[in-house]
Amino acid sequence: MNMSNPRIPRPFFCGNWKLWGTLSDSVALATGVRDAVAGVTAADVAVSPGFVALATVAEQLKGGSLGVAAQDGYWESKGAFTGEVAMAQIADGGARYAIVGHSERRQYFGETDASVARKAKAALAAGLTPIICIGETLAERDAGQALAVVARQLDGTTRTLTDDELARSVIAYEPVWAIGTGRVATPAQAQEVHASIRDQLTRRLPARAQQIRILYGGSVKPDNIADLMKQKDIDGALVGGASLTVDSFAKIVQQGVAACTPS
Ligand code: PGA
């Protein structure tokens, strides 16, 4: 986040709760986060409960600034697709965002860049902001392929979006080896990939790429968020484990905002 550049996007912090919590756990965590970040006006903040809790949490947060994200969503709007949840249903439930293409969905549920692209497009059509996840595995990084893999995934997941749709999307760079492992990318490693994502977006949308938010995800914690947010092309974070308590997620938001606010 580069404060000398007036075109930088507004920071965005999204908690990814994954498979966690009862309905009452979800409401308690969401309302706790809402109260803890009530004073934060310089960033957008969202939480992503599981589907059963999503509409109830959104109802509790109605009228406030804390947003709700779905963790996935399907591209068809209705029909014989047992078990799927349509992006329009997610929007109707009160969400503003949908995470698409998380590496756990790719790894365990067979998601591909092509399916993620369809989901991103459907999210936009339903009025949601997609948070499009990309990131290399450890083997790919060790083989020197990190930038190439991320470039291919970015292209594959966004190629079918119109320029306007791409400009309204959020990209999340999440190195698979850093997710849930406690092994965070160094700020320099993350910035290198974010800069390359920004360059690729700039080639496609020269006038608007600076406005597109590129989040970092992978073992973000209160004690590493500040150094990440000081990087020029890191505009926020997608936070898994550390978003499951009010205290740690609120600290990430507050310290993340402080790190990109000129003193
Ligand atoms: P983590 O998860 O913060 O627990 O590493 C991040 C994510 O998977 O989005």
Side-chain angles (χ1 to χ4, degrees):
M1 177 69 42
N2 175 1
M3 292 311 293
S4 63
N5 182 346
R7 297 167 304 153
I8 56 161
R10 186 175 158 80
F12 178 34
F13 300 91
C14 184
N16 174 11
W17 294 357
K18 309 191 182 186
L19 204 178
W20 175 87
T22 62
L23 187 52
S24 62
D25 292 336
S26 301
V27 168
L29 179 54
T31 52
V33 169
R34 174 196 62 197
D35 296 345
V37 302
V40 174
T41 53
D44 293 327
V45 186
V47 293
S48 59
F51 275 130
V52 172
L54 184 138
T56 306
V57 165
E59 183 65 30
Q60 293 283 327
L61 300 179
K62 208 170 180 170
S65 58
L66 180 61
V68 171
Q71 299 174 20
D72 188 24
Y74 194 50
W75 57 81
E76 295 289 351
S77 54
K78 62 176 191 292
F81 303 104
T82 301
E84 291 297 333
V85 180
M87 293 294 181
Q89 292 176 308
I90 292 166
D92 184 51
R96 292 181 209 163
Y97 309 92
I99 299 169
V100 293
H102 190 280
S103 67
E104 288 149 16
R105 305 262 356 137
R106 294 172 184 260
Q107 189 180 348
Y108 304 127
F109 304 100
E111 298 250 4
T112 62
D113 289 343
S115 64
V116 177
R118 294 182 80 172
K119 291 181 173 194
K121 192 131 184 118
L124 287 152
L128 298 167
T129 298
I131 301 170
I132 302 169
C133 300
I134 54 181
E136 83 285 358
T137 63
L138 186 57
E140 289 164 339
R141 173 159 286 266
D142 287 346
Q145 293 296 309
L147 295 181
V149 167
V150 166
R152 191 184 67 226
Q153 291 179 341
L154 181 63
D155 182 55
T157 54
T158 61
R159 195 186 315 142
T160 53
L161 303 184
T162 65
D163 289 356
D164 278 346
E165 287 173 337
L166 180 56
R168 285 192 279 131
S169 300
V170 172
I171 308 298
Y173 167 58
E174 298 205 300
V176 176
W177 47 272
I179 295 177
T181 57
R183 187 180 157 188
V184 66
T186 65
Q189 280 175 323
Q191 168 58 24
E192 181 189 28
V193 181
H194 280 235
S196 140
I197 293 170
R198 183 86 66 200
D199 283 350
Q200 194 172 339
L201 293 171
T202 304
R203 285 195 293 279
R204 169 129 180 235
L205 287 182
R208 296 158 88 181
Q210 294 293 333
Q211 300 283 359
I212 298 176
R213 294 188 282 196
I214 309 173
L215 312 184
Y216 169 79
S219 297
V220 171
K221 302 279 182 287
D223 65 3
N224 58 32
I225 187 64
D227 286 341
L228 290 162
M229 291 301 290
K230 283 179 190 150
Q231 303 300 309
K232 179 171 173 291
D233 293 296
I234 298 182
D235 306 314
L238 185 54
V239 184
S243 72
L244 294 178
T245 66
V246 171
D247 184 56
S248 63
F249 189 54
K251 278 196 179 118
I252 287 169
V253 172
Q254 286 152 357
Q255 290 171 22
V257 168
C260 53
T261 304
S263 48

